[in-house]
Amino acid sequence: MRDKAYQCAVAHGWHEENLSDEHFLCLVISELMEAVEADRKGKHAKVAMFKEWQGNSVPLTEETRKRRFMEYFEAFIKGTVEEELADACIRLLDLAGLRGYDLDSFDYEGSDTEDYSDMTFTESMFRICVYVTDNFYRDEPFILLNEIFAFCRDRNIDIFWHIKQKIKYNELRPYKHGDYIFRSIPVHFPAAY
């Protein structure tokens, strides 16, 4: 998954500048905060509905299949807790690919992690953010990934499935997601302001 996440980011123009690890780790935190916001709004993936619609056995052209995948992803998964957690993982996988970190030799199942069972969702995301900002783990993205994996195991989220679906979605998106350029646009407020 590391190489696939990294190659997708490269193909979509996200590595045209030489950016610091802090830049990428801040993006991980932003995804975790988006997950908090999705949780506060009660937005969870409708996986069964997504799979049901994807399981349609009607023969489709490749273009139609891709378009429908995008539509169903946006209808049933986009903007949910699970998607944002997958995004955080993809950011870490991308960073690991960029820096050449080996993620395969780490014992994810046998390692110690936080016990997230007694924490609220928001407390859990805060705890993971503490790991992200701790310089001790800066060169060990597998530890950060493992904390997200542990949280997801505790909450019965199939994070690996969500990561795969989000990478597939990202692969189908246009270059730089449509080349969004954030510019300073003059805004005119009514006289009441």
Side-chain angles (χ1 to χ4, degrees), residues 73-87:
F73 186 92
E74 290 167 3
F76 301 120
I77 298 174
K78 188 99 175 106
T80 64
V81 165
E82 296 83 356
E83 186 223 7
E84 302 303 348
L85 291 171
D87 277 340

Side-chain angles (χ1 to χ4, degrees), residues 103-135:
L103 301 179
D104 294 331
S105 61
F106 185 72
D107 180 10
Y108 293 94
E109 294 296 323
S111 65
D112 289 333
T113 60
E114 289 287 330
D115 178 6
Y116 293 101
S117 61
D118 290 332
M119 295 183 205
T120 66
F121 187 92
T122 303
E123 290 167 342
S124 298
M125 294 303 103
F126 174 81
R127 188 71 201 133
I128 294 169
C129 285
V130 168
Y131 278 96
V132 173
T133 58
D134 187 337
N135 281 333

Side-chain angles (χ1 to χ4, degrees), residues 7-164:
Q7 290 164 359
C8 182
V10 169
H12 286 80
W14 299 116
H15 288 293
E16 292 175 350
E17 298 177 56
N18 185 18
L19 301 168
S20 68
D21 288 358
E22 290 80 6
H23 173 90
F24 291 102
L25 293 172
C26 189
L27 295 176
V28 171
I29 292 170
S30 75
E31 301 295 353
L32 295 172
M33 293 305 97
E34 288 180 21
V36 169
E37 190 61 24
D39 180 66
R40 291 180 69 220
K41 292 178 179 178
K43 295 178 81 178
H44 291 276
K46 296 174 179 150
V47 175
M49 291 177 78
F50 177 82
K51 287 180 177 180
E52 180 182 334
W53 283 90
Q54 284 298 111
N56 185 340
S57 61
V58 175
L60 303 171
T61 65
E62 185 66 15
E63 183 179 315
T64 301
R65 188 188 59 74
K66 288 177 181 178
R67 181 180 48 78
R68 286 196 177 171
F69 175 86
M70 298 281 288
E71 289 170 358
Y72 300 153
F73 186 92
E74 290 167 3
F76 301 120
I77 298 174
K78 188 99 175 106
T80 64
V81 165
E82 296 83 356
E83 186 223 7
E84 302 303 348
L85 291 171
D87 277 340
C89 292
I90 290 168
R91 298 279 189 186
L92 288 166
L93 292 166
D94 177 34
L95 175 60
L98 175 67
R99 302 292 186 239
Y101 294 127
D102 177 19
L103 301 179
D104 294 331
S105 61
F106 185 72
D107 180 10
Y108 293 94
E109 294 296 323
S111 65
D112 289 333
T113 60
E114 289 287 330
D115 178 6
Y116 293 101
S117 61
D118 290 332
M119 295 183 205
T120 66
F121 187 92
T122 303
E123 290 167 342
S124 298
M125 294 303 103
F126 174 81
R127 188 71 201 133
I128 294 169
C129 285
V130 168
Y131 278 96
V132 173
T133 58
D134 187 337
N135 281 333
F136 184 76
Y137 301 108
R138 181 69 41 96
D139 294 327
E140 298 177 331
F142 45 84
I143 301 240
L144 306 176
L145 279 166
N146 201 37
E147 289 300 322
I148 298 172
F149 297 164
F151 170 80
C152 290
R153 270 192 309 272
D154 182 70
R155 304 297 160 99
N156 294 314
I157 296 171
D158 184 355
I159 193 62
F160 300 105
W161 183 86
H162 284 281
I163 292 168
K164 288 176 187 170

